[in-house]
Amino acid sequence: MSPLELLDYASVLIFALTGALVASRAQLDVVGFAFLACLTGVGGGTLRDLLLRREVLWIADPTYLAVACGAAIAVFFTAHRLESRQSAILWLDAVALSVAVPAGAGIALSEGAPVPVILVMGVMTGCFGGLMRDVVANEVPLVLKQGEPYATCALGGAGALLAAHASGIEPGKAALIGAIFTFVLRGTALAFGWHIPIYKGRPPRN
């Protein structure tokens, strides 16, 4: 199994855990858990593969769906043990972002995509699963919260992978650098409450 495939599996698993935890907050049944887990786990990768005209990951290998459903069942029986499910969601989401971004950017790089496309695919793979999860659960998506450095961290991680690759580092190590950089950015933002400036409207001039 290649490093990119391992990253894809890891991102599906961890994002699925966050989807199931959101389902627990909404008090859904086990089918609802599985639905949100699968949607969150494979959402970003599905869109990435469709746009890159690749065979969609979970159609090529249904094991991805089994991993997501397994995560959903595990959370269904254990979520009540967590002291703060919201905190768990935020930190698991940060870990998932850190593996999904280099998976998306690395796959686009392996397909010979140009630099802007590689960056977009990294951000898309990292962000869209969680975006779908939050929209379906009727919550404000993390990526759209005011001043939340979410897509910014994803873009930084994809850029770190590209920079590592351009310096001659082998693809597997470049992906690892992208993952670490993404997590450091996102984890630091969560730990210290960092936000980026937001637009503030001003009254029109007379």
Side-chain angles (χ1 to χ4, degrees), residues 20-164:
L21 284 171
V22 169
S24 74
R25 283 163 52 87
Q27 297 184 317
L28 302 182
D29 59 29
V30 69
V31 176
F33 271 65
F35 175 78
L36 266 185
C38 288
L39 180 69
T40 311
V42 304
T46 297
L47 188 57
R48 173 201 68 208
D49 291 344
L50 287 172
L51 292 177
L52 290 176
R53 298 182 181 179
R54 303 174 72 246
E55 188 172 11
V56 176
L57 71 165
W58 56 270
I59 294 177
D61 183 4
T63 306
Y64 287 102
L65 294 179
V67 168
C69 289
I73 293 171
V75 172
F76 184 81
F77 289 106
T78 59
H80 64 281
R81 298 177 180 273
L82 289 173
E83 187 172 326
S84 173
R85 273 173 267 181
Q86 181 59 28
S87 178
I89 289 168
L90 288 174
W91 282 101
L92 277 174
D93 196 88
V95 176
L97 185 72
S98 70
V99 290
V101 167
I107 286 172
L109 180 63
S110 69
E111 294 285 328
V115 168
V117 175
I118 293 170
L119 294 173
V120 169
M121 289 301 154
V123 173
M124 182 180 296
T125 308
C127 295
F128 269 76
L131 176 66
M132 295 176 190
R133 171 199 67 208
D134 294 339
V135 169
V136 170
N138 199 30
E139 296 185 2
V140 178
L142 276 173
V143 71
L144 296 179
K145 284 188 175 178
Q146 283 188 339
E148 193 70 48
Y150 193 88
T152 306
C153 296
L155 183 62
L161 182 148
L162 274 174

Side-chain angles (χ1 to χ4, degrees), residues 4-30:
L4 291 179
E5 288 176 322
L6 284 173
L7 286 173
D8 247 352
Y9 272 108
S11 68
V12 168
L13 171 63
I14 304 169
F15 265 131
L17 290 172
T18 71
L21 284 171
V22 169
S24 74
R25 283 163 52 87
Q27 297 184 317
L28 302 182
D29 59 29
V30 69

